[in-house]
Each structure stands twice: as C-alpha cells, then as structure tokens.
Amino acid sequence: MATIDGRPAQYGITLKHLRDLMEHRGPEGVNKVNEIGGVQELCKKLYTSPSEGLSGSQVDTEHRRETFGSNSIPPKPPKTFFQLVWEALQDITLIILEVAAIVSLGLSFYQPPSEDEGFEDDETSHGWIEGLAILISVIVVVLVTAFNDYTKERQFRGLQNRIEGEHRFSVIRQGEVKQISVSDIVVGDICQIKYGDLLPADGILIQSNDLKVDESSLTGESDHVKKGESFDPMVLSGTHVMEGSGKMLVAAVGVNSQAGIIFTLLGAAVDEQEQEIKKMKKEAKKQRKKKSLTGDEESAVTGNSHMNSPAPVSNKHGNSDGDDGQGNHVASGNNSADSHKKEKSVLQAKLTKLAIQIGYAGSTIAVLTVVILIIQFCVKTFVIDEKEWKNSYANNLVRHLIIGVTVLVVAVPEGLPLAVTLSLAYSVKKMMKDNNLVRHLDACETMGNATAICSDKTGTLTTNRMTVVQSYICEQLCKTMPKFADIPAEVGNLIIQGIAVNSAYTSRIMPAEEPGELPKQVGNKTECSLLGFVMGMQKNYQTLRDDQPEETFTRVYTFNSVRKSMSTIIPRQGGGYRLFTKGASEIILNKCAFIYGHDGRLEKFTRDMQERLLRQVIEPMACDGLRTISIAYRDFVPGKADINQVHIDNEPNWEDEENIVNNLTCLCVVGIEDPVRPEVPEAIRKCQKAGITVRMVTGDNINTARSIATKCGIIKPTDDFLILEGKEFNRRIRDSTGEVQQHLLDKVWPKLRVLARSSPTDKYTLVKGIIDSKVSENREVVAVTGDGTNDGPALKKADVGFAMGIAGTDVAKEASDIILTDDNFSSIVKAVMWGRNVYDSIAKFLQFQLTVNVVAVIVAFIGACAVQDSPLKAVQMLWVNLIMDTLASLALATELPTSDLLLRKPYGRTKPLISRTMMKNILGQAIYQLTVIFSLLFVGDKLLDIESGRGAEFGSGPTQHFTVIFNSFVMMTLFNEFNARKIHGQRNVFQGIFTNPIFYSIWIGTCASQVLIIQYGKMAFSTKSLTLEQWLWCLFFGVGTLLWGQLVTTVPTRKIPKILSWGRGHPEEYTESITIGEEKFDVDSDKKPRAGQILWIRGLTRLQTQIRVVNAFRQGLDARYGEHSNTSLAEVLRKQTSLSKRLSQTSSIEYADNIPDELTIPEIDVERLSSHSHTETAV
C-alpha cells in the first residue's frame, strides 16, 4: 500500500464527503459528525492529531493539497495587452480621427478622371502621407495608453498579492503553535481561533470557549451565532470570530469551502452575465414594441421578481481586472448595498467637473473651426472664383474636418486620468517603503486633505511593548519587581496561577532572537506583560498551563469591549470550581468583596477601603501613565465554605455571568507601563503645524490617557481643551430620549482632545459627528486608526481608516483603507505628506496642460479664420498632445514629496482645483506664447527672411515658416514644463530637479525627438529642416518662457479676481448627477445626466464606468435556480447580502437587495451596455 510520510496515502474520508459534511449546521451538523464517530475519529481519518497537529513536512502538505485542494481561489486572469489596446481604441475622439484619417487616405488615392491640371500630381503623390501619419500617431497614443494600463494593473496585482500575503493564521504543527500564511493551510490542519479572527477555511470545532461568530457575510443574519462542540461545531471561512476562542480541524479549503463554492458560482455567473446582457437588449426592444402596440404599461418582469433572488454582482474593490484606474474604485466604500456609499474622493469630483467644463469649451471651438474653414472654402471657391464642384474638393473638406478633430483632441485633457492614476500608483508604491500598505487607491489622496485624526493609544502612540513596573500586593506597593519569597505563599501561588491560566494560551513570551535583546512578546501584549511579571518572580507559567490544558476549562468569559475583563473557570482540586478574573482595576474592584491584607490576612473589602485604594494606589499609577490591571478570584465549593467562598450543591448556572463574577477576592493590582514611542511627539507636532487636529480615543482610564496625551503633545497646558470619559461624553451629546443630537455634539467635538474609557460605539459616534458637522466652513476630513474587531464601523465611516498591521485583527484590516505595517503613528504623517503630494502633482500637471490647451486651441482657431489653415498641422498637434499628455503626466506625477508640504493647512473640499496663482501662471504663459506665435505667423517671414507659408496652395509642401512656428511652440512648451513644477509661486523652478530622474530623462528624450522630427520629419510631420540660426531663434523663444515666468510670479496674486479660480464650489453637487463609479439613476428625479454629458465623461476622459447590470444576472439566476432545483447553494446565494472579502480580495462581491420595482429594466442602462460591456469595474 502506498505511503506518504510514513502514513497510508489513502485518507479515511473523501473530498466529496467532507464537502457535504460542511453543508450542515447546528444539531444536524453534530449528528453528521457523530455518524463519522466524532471529531477525534475524523482527525484519525485525516491522519492528524488534535494536540500535535500535522507534521508540516513538504511531502505531506503537498499531498493534501493535491487531494483536497489548496486554500486559495484562482483570480480572474488579468486582461491581456491586446484587450487593453482594444479598450484604449474605444476613445471617441480617437475613433473620429481614425475615420477621418482613413477617409483622407482613401481620397488621396482616388483620382478624379476629368481633371488633368498640373499640380494635382504633386498633391496626390504626397496626399496619403498625412492620413498615414495621423493613423500612426493614433496607434502610438493607443499603445502608450495600453502600456500604462498594463503596468498599472501589474502594480495593482502586486499590491493585492502583498495584502493577501500579509494575512497569517495560527496553526498547530508538530505540537507547536506557528503563524503560517493563509494560503498554506491544508485540510487536516489544527487552527487556533480567537477573538477578532477572520476564519480562513471551513472547520469543525475540537474545543471552544464562549465562542460567538458573526456569519453575516454568508447568511446576512447580523446576530452573532454561538458555536460549541456539542450544539453547532461547524465554523465557516469568511466569518468573523466576535468572542471567545477555540481550536478547529480544517475540513474544507479554497474552492471547496462554503465561501469558495459561492465565489466559483459567481465567477461562472459573471461570464454568463455577458451573454445575458445581449439577450436583455433584445428583450427590452421587444418589450418596448409590445408596450407601444398594446399600450400596456405593465412591465413583463413581475414587480416582485427582485425580492426572491440576488441582484447582480458588481465585482467591487481591487478587482483583479484593474479595469481603469480612473474610477479608483469609487465603489470600494460600500460593503453592502444599503450602507452609505463613500462619496467620491475630493480630487476625483473636482477633476470630473473640470474635465466636463474643458470638454464643452473644446468641442465648441472645434465645431466653430470646422464650420469657419468650410464656409471660407466654399465662399472662396464657389462664390468668388465661381468654380464648378469637382470631386477632388471632397479632399479639402475632409482636411478641414481633420483640423477640427485635432483641435478637439488637443483641447480635451485625456492626460488627466492618466496623471491621476500614475501619481496615485507611484505614491502607493513609494508608501510601501514608508510602512503604509494602501488598500484603496484614493485613500492616499484623501489623506492629504485630512483635518482630524482620531487615534488609538495602545500600540499607535505607544510602543505596545508592555511591562509591569509597579505592583500592589497585600498592602505593599512595590515599584520594582517583587521577590516571590516576600509574598505570602498562598497569595503568591494564586497570583501566578491566575495569570498563567486566565490568559489566552496564544499569548506567550519567547526567548530573544539575539543575545542582549528583550524577550519577544507573542499574542496579546497586556497578557504578555503579566506573564513577564510571573517570569520576573522566577516562576514558569508554562508548567501551570501544561497541568491545566484548555480542554479542562469549565467556562471562559473572554475579554470584550463591554466586559473590559476576562474570566476563566477551572475545576478546583478537592472538588468545586475556581474562577479567575483580570481586567480594568475600577471594574474589577467594584466586584470585589474581600482583599488580602498584611501578611496575607483575608479582610473584608469595604467601600472606604476601595476609595482609599483608588486614591492612594490606582490614581497615582494612572497619573504616571500606567494602565492598572487587577487580578481576583473566587471559589465555588461543595463542602463547608469559608467567608470568601460560595457553597454549591450542583453546577452553578454559568450563563448568569452577573452573579458568577461577583463577590470576588482581590489578589493584586499591577501598573503596566506602555512607553510613548520616541518619534510620536515630533510626528504630532508636525500634524498640528499642518493644520491637523489629533484626538486620542482610548479604552483606558482617564488619568492614564491624560498622562500619555501630555507626553505626546496632544494636549498642552496652555490650550483650551476637553478631556472626557465615555459616560460623560454620552451624557453631553444625547438628549432626554437618549438620541445623539448633532447640535449637542457640535458643542463638544471642537475642543475634545482625549476620550477615555470609550466604547467602540463612542468612537463611531464621534467620527460620524465630526464628519456630519457643519460648524467649520469646510467639511472635516477625518482619519481614524483602529486595531480591534469592534473598530470596524468607525474605520468604515471615516474618510480614511488606518488599521494596525501587527496588532490589528483581520476584521479591522478588512474595514480599513490603509494598513500601517509598523503600527506607528509617525507613518500616518508620511501618508499625509504623500496625499498632499498627489494633489500637488496633479495641480502641476494641470497648470502645464491647460497652458498648452489654451494656446494650441486659440492658434488653431484664429489660424483657421485668418489663414484658412491651421498653422499647427494635425500630426504636429498629435505630437504636442503626446508630449503634454502622456509624457508630462509621467514627468510631473512622479515628483517626490518634501517636508514643506506639511507647513501649509489642508486644502479642504471646496478649494478650487486651479488656484489664482495657477491661473495667473496659465494665462501669463499663454499670453507670452500666443504673442510669439502670432508675431511669427504674421511677420515672422519678414523677420527671419524666409518665404511665407501663409495662403500656400493646398498640397504644396511644408514651409520653413510654419516649421519655425511649430518648433517654437514645442520649445516654449518644453521650457514651460520647468515653470509648471512649482504651483505656490516659488521663484526657483529648478529646485530638487535632480531628485527626479524620470523628469529630466523624459525632458531630454522629448527634446531629442523634436530635433529629429524637425530635421527629418519632412512630409509626414509637415516640417522642413531648419538652419542653425532658425534653431537658435526657437530656443531663444523657449528660454524666454523661464524669464517671463519670473515676471509673472512678481504680479501679486491678490490682485487677481477670484472668479478666475476654476473647479471650485462643492464637488458633491456635480457628483450627484454624474456618479462615475457606478451609474445610479434615480427613478424619480429628472436630473438624469444628458446624453452629452455621458458621452463626454465616457468618451473623452476615459473615466470608464463600472456598469451595473441590474437584471441580466438576476434573471440568469432565476432561470438556473428558479423552479428547477432547490439546492442548498441557491439558498445560500439567496441569503447572501455581502460576501466576505476574505478568500480573494481581488474579487469581492456586493449585492443590491432592494432595488425599486421601477428599475426592472432601466432602458438607459441596456442601451449603454452594448457600447461598454467591456468595462466591468473600476479598480
């Protein structure tokens, strides 16, 4: 018989059997497990041991993977380069250009038979070059765009893999607890699960304490489900442990787990969606015809159809497609359809608005140009010269059209989305080095606008390396480590047992890796400090744990934010039970009735003693910034009871926690120090300088909180500030009925700096209150840090949620936008710096781009009117477009942040995108460039003594005159790129130029290309080579922009009217009517976006839309799962409201459950699907 690793290769149970087993819940599940012979028997069948786990050998794990599958879900294949090219070709302006170029090519080969005039030959021989050149430049633009998308997608995938790689889990292998990557978990592994874990696979409980799981991600039921070996042993992947701890045997992984099965179905469903869409379209047309024939307004889809089936899936958040970065997954905010949609990031809103405005202006001018050119041509040819219509004139008309389209291409800043994406992607990559793992691209930019940060204390502001520095045992306050011999033996043993047993067994202290370093703390840091206290008294906690394994515990009340304590009940030697409790001092002491006094005498713990203890021991400790923890115990005995024991006849009702954990005997109070991180006070000072208010929200005692806040610099003795406890905070912000009132909150939050003893709900209330507040003229932008499961709601609500990478639970990481890989507050300051830098990079790009836009459009327009031909030819404009769009966005979007960024206040949501300073620079430079170009156009031929290019016959070759104009324009543009590097009116535009190699290499590359184009471009670029003198003139005009820039800077900005700043006002107004992330049409409102707007956003700025196919997928499902089959999976699918994002962050899923009846077939959606079915999602 074949063996693997010394065991039979054939398992005692099949994959199918295991899959079926995991479909059962509750008592049914217990029966199924018992049919196999119980969990122990199942372990044997899978060749694993409940206490030792797997051997972890390579051969064994590989074999298990082959047999039962691996714990990962294959992501959707990334788009190929050709798909991306195809998408880039969908751009409307490019399509118009392609068509025009092809028509022009066709016409150039078409020779009308009747004409035999001489110059035609010359013209036809070169006529095709322009058409071909335009086609080639379109191809270049498309390839560059596709390449950018491709690299962006690769980066994004890398980021996803990094995020997934970070997710580790505790398993037992070879009898030791090890942290392994979630994807390495195999069937047969024994996992330790605890409060805050996101379960990585389906499993069956071997042992559990007080375990409660949130299964809403699978079932949609928000109540926490109690789990236990005897009544519901099945725990499922993608669900969150909300309380308790336990051990489970992994029974299904990856695509075979419950969540995996659903993912696979959805994957299949998404493919079918495409076919469904086409069907839908046909049906919708039929419906419309039917309606018009019968006059019947009833829709064919029954009104109730959406109630009993899930709505379509929109692959949300970091979908592997990376479709089009511009959407920067606006949708990422919503976890389920009914939760608030996070509004679009400020920058995106402003940019959308700006792009629309520029688009309108550009198209107007382009249309005007074409009309004027055609009218002039017709009047001159047919009216003045009175010629007959000849077929060859069609060529002239196409030429005019091409010029018009080119003006449009130059006017519309397609480079904008590119600049945004590049800048964000570049920042995200660099932020990794600064310990910021960005999960949602736009969080990075939002962070630059942050005005408030609500931070946790433990681990963020402090080092999270806790040590016991003071203890109070038997009325002895000791500020050093007490000797065990000095403590009465009975009390000493109780303390050590109480600490060793009543703490999670996952918390332990490992010997230091390097000699001379501190021992390593693993698990909960507070528990580690107590274990360190035991070791400091020269005792070993591990021997006590070995004598009392977790399986022997009678009951565990695990720590949670409501209890603020943890209790463990174990069988007592000599019969009965013993309860150990530890937790926040004031809470535990309130439940104590006895205390050990001098020499270990048992005394009654009176109210007076309690107050004295608070005053003389706990408050002084707290004022030194120590966390105080009390340890207490209680005995339940069957026989004669002492005064601090309870007599019992049968097992007490463990559910009655109130009475069980009461009348305790206090053993000791310890003060735990968690020192402030040395770099935090400096980081907080930087934040305050940058106009960001830092608030501390902590569950700790108010005195500890005040002490730490003072050390950090959050509060200064001279300031006017509030420090509140959770109770007092709630008293102040709630009205008589207990409802939170915004106007009451507005009185509290502006001065509030520290909120102590706060619950997660308080944190959420505070964040929501600050965000909704109308007190300050700009809406506050709030960042929040969190590490616990219960911080999820606050992290989700905040504009930017930071989760702790080391101490954070999986739930907190899921809810966050950025993960701090070193848990350090000073990394947040770096995030602010990067965020501001993104905003500035885009402003720089805009300043540069708009100058070129204004000049090119005006030159083309006036040239067309005055000279019947644009001085800048179509191909030349495309080249300028390439320089200014793609290359400049690369060059300007990759500037590194400087510390100066932190010296100014945040921009706020309503500040115009283009400030008055920028507008001054744009208009100033435009005036200079236009002056130069028009002087060259009208008097340049005389100045430079060359033949004039004005009024040249159609088809005559390129002239030096127009080449000089083109070359000067490009030179001025290139030198203006230096001016664009500064947007706040700084004088030295070359400062820090060598820190950005991308910038200067692109700049030099562009210059070299320009020389080649001018000297060797000939017919293709309509250029004629220039002499050295002419080149020097062009360079002279170029360098002039730098000098002129200094002049412009001298003009005081204050003199410029405010009306000149663009993109101001509330970005929200615009985003209501046009939501780029996901098009939602409000059925009742008349504010549907006009087709024109949709066209603009869609076509011109490539901010591609994430489409929601409301009925296609749903009907597909109805057909598949409707009447025919009633599989349990269909049930699961039906219940599903928001499938957890665990198994593959690349394809998280979102359901919209209650869509109004009217939306059965929104006609506008169906119409739009055909043209854009390829855009499934925006990253």
Side-chain angles (χ1 to χ4, degrees), residues 361-555:
S363 46
T364 315
I365 294 185
V367 171
L368 267 177
T369 313
V370 177
V371 170
I372 290 175
L373 281 172
I374 291 181
I375 289 176
Q376 278 190 335
F377 172 73
C378 294
V379 168
K380 185 173 177 298
T381 315
F382 304 130
V383 180
I384 301 175
D385 299 351
E386 294 182 346
K387 292 186 180 167
E388 295 290 306
W389 165 260
K390 288 191 294 207
N391 290 353
S392 61
Y393 288 152
N395 225 339
N396 300 37
L397 298 180
V398 170
R399 217 163 123 259
H400 299 324
L401 181 66
I402 287 182
I403 291 173
V405 173
T406 318
V407 172
L408 184 59
V409 172
V410 177
V412 171
E414 313 88 276
L416 260 183
L418 190 68
V420 179
T421 314
L422 279 173
S423 182
L424 285 171
Y426 179 75
S427 303
V428 166
K429 207 168 164 186
K430 290 281 192 209
M431 282 168 83
M432 296 282 241
K433 294 193 177 73
D434 284 342
N435 302 310
N436 281 300
L437 183 66
V438 181
R439 294 183 62 232
H440 296 158
L441 271 180
D442 50 0
C444 159
E445 168 261 316
T446 312
M447 201 50 218
N449 280 315
T451 54
I453 297 175
C454 296
S455 170
D456 274 357
K457 174 178 76 69
T458 310
T460 315
L461 299 173
T462 58
T463 55
N464 207 7
R465 177 167 185 98
M466 308 213 184
T467 36
V468 174
V469 289
Q470 296 187 21
S471 58
Y472 177 86
I473 304 173
C474 299
E475 291 192 20
Q476 293 275 309
L477 180 62
C478 200
K479 298 213 172 183
T480 53
M481 182 61 72
K483 289 195 171 56
F484 189 69
D486 299 347
I487 303 171
E490 184 196 0
V491 180
N493 286 325
L494 276 169
I495 290 175
I496 285 170
Q497 192 185 6
I499 290 174
V501 173
N502 184 27
S503 56
Y505 279 18
T506 46
S507 303
R508 49 194 203 285
I509 292 186
M510 313 283 279
E513 291 173 1
E514 302 285 320
E517 276 187 7
L518 293 166
K520 214 166 118 196
Q521 299 184 337
V522 181
N524 181 308
K525 298 296 191 280
T526 312
E527 292 181 344
C528 287
S529 69
L530 293 170
L531 296 173
F533 181 62
V534 171
M535 291 171 77
M537 294 194 290
Q538 311 301 318
K539 292 287 173 189
N540 186 354
Y541 64 87
Q542 197 54 52
T543 48
L544 286 167
R545 285 182 170 184
D546 295 341
D547 298 343
Q548 192 81 57
E550 285 181 286
E551 285 78 34
T552 61
F553 292 175
T554 309
R555 183 66 194 256

Side-chain angles (χ1 to χ4, degrees), residues 735-750:
D735 59 13
S736 49
T737 58
E739 291 295 312
V740 177
Q741 292 298 335
Q742 187 66 44
H743 66 272
L744 295 173
L745 234 170
D746 287 344
K747 288 184 187 143
V748 176
W749 74 257

Side-chain angles (χ1 to χ4, degrees), residues 561-621:
S561 56
V562 181
R563 288 191 184 115
K564 290 209 188 307
S565 67
M566 169 178 180
S567 315
T568 303
I569 299 164
I570 56 171
R572 180 172 169 273
Q573 284 161 341
Y577 302 94
R578 175 167 283 168
L579 158 87
F580 285 113
T581 295
K582 68 168 192 302
S585 305
E586 49 270 57
I587 291 172
I588 299 292
L589 292 179
N590 270 333
K591 296 181 177 176
C592 285
F594 305 93
I595 188 165
Y596 282 107
H598 267 298
D599 305 327
R601 275 199 316 275
L602 190 67
E603 299 176 6
K604 274 217 158 87
F605 188 48
T606 58
R607 178 71 47 200
D608 289 350
M609 284 174 77
Q610 186 177 342
E611 278 170 8
R612 201 172 72 238
L613 187 62
L614 264 173
R615 220 175 30 252
Q616 294 176 354
V617 178
I618 292 174
E619 283 183 9
M621 281 187 187

Side-chain angles (χ1 to χ4, degrees), residues 822-851:
D822 61 348
D823 285 15
N824 191 339
F825 185 84
S826 59
S827 304
I828 298 180
V829 181
K830 292 186 183 141
V832 172
M833 209 154 88
W834 276 107
R836 293 188 172 189
N837 190 50
V838 167
Y839 201 101
D840 278 8
S841 296
I842 286 161
K844 288 170 189 174
F845 171 71
L846 269 176
Q847 177 173 308
F848 173 68
Q849 162 116 40
L850 289 178
T851 314

Side-chain angles (χ1 to χ4, degrees), residues 642-883:
D642 295 344
I643 62 161
N644 66 335
Q645 295 179 331
V646 190
H647 168 75
I648 50 165
D649 291 323
N650 40 25
E651 190 167 335
N653 172 16
W654 301 124
E655 294 302 321
D656 181 11
E657 191 186 334
E658 278 298 297
N659 290 325
I660 296 286
V661 187
N662 217 331
N663 294 331
L664 309 170
T665 307
C666 178
L667 292 167
C668 70
V669 176
V670 294
I672 297 178
E673 181 182 44
D674 183 9
V676 170
R677 289 177 181 263
E679 63 278 8
V680 161
E682 174 58 21
I684 287 185
R685 212 170 51 249
K686 278 186 182 160
C687 279
Q688 290 163 340
K689 260 204 194 120
I692 302 170
T693 314
V694 182
R695 294 181 175 82
M696 181 162 104
V697 183
T698 174
D700 248 342
N701 165 317
I702 193 160
N703 294 320
T704 313
R706 178 184 283 122
S707 159
I708 299 277
T710 314
K711 287 180 188 167
C712 292
I714 291 178
I715 54 179
K716 299 187 189 69
T718 51
D719 294 353
D720 175 19
F721 55 78
L722 270 178
I723 296 182
L724 296 179
E725 278 199 328
K727 279 195 190 116
E728 173 62 14
F729 172 69
N730 277 310
R731 199 183 60 70
R732 289 192 182 195
I733 62 168
R734 293 178 189 274
D735 59 13
S736 49
T737 58
E739 291 295 312
V740 177
Q741 292 298 335
Q742 187 66 44
H743 66 272
L744 295 173
L745 234 170
D746 287 344
K747 288 184 187 143
V748 176
W749 74 257
K751 285 185 184 175
L752 183 71
R753 290 294 173 275
V754 176
L755 185 57
R757 281 277 175 255
S758 66
S759 68
T761 328
D762 296 342
K763 192 174 189 174
Y764 176 79
T765 311
L766 177 66
V767 172
K768 183 174 183 308
I770 299 180
I771 289 180
D772 295 346
S773 172
K774 301 270 192 293
V775 177
S776 35
E777 67 259 42
N778 279 334
R779 150 160 137 47
E780 299 275 318
V781 176
V782 185
V784 170
T785 69
D787 52 7
T789 305
N790 40 31
D791 290 332
L795 288 170
K796 267 247 179 299
K797 177 68 190 166
D799 295 284
V800 182
F802 285 92
M804 301 298 136
I806 304 167
T809 57
D810 301 331
V811 185
K813 290 180 189 173
E814 280 299 326
S816 69
D817 300 298
I818 297 179
I819 296 174
L820 294 178
T821 48
D822 61 348
D823 285 15
N824 191 339
F825 185 84
S826 59
S827 304
I828 298 180
V829 181
K830 292 186 183 141
V832 172
M833 209 154 88
W834 276 107
R836 293 188 172 189
N837 190 50
V838 167
Y839 201 101
D840 278 8
S841 296
I842 286 161
K844 288 170 189 174
F845 171 71
L846 269 176
Q847 177 173 308
F848 173 68
Q849 162 116 40
L850 289 178
T851 314
V852 185
N853 277 5
V854 170
V855 175
V857 169
I858 293 180
V859 167
F861 178 61
I862 295 189
C865 305
V867 200
Q868 286 87 52
D869 189 2
S870 165
L872 299 172
K873 300 286 179 288
V875 182
Q876 296 173 352
M877 286 216 201
L878 283 170
W879 164 238
V880 171
N881 203 33
L882 189 74
I883 299 180

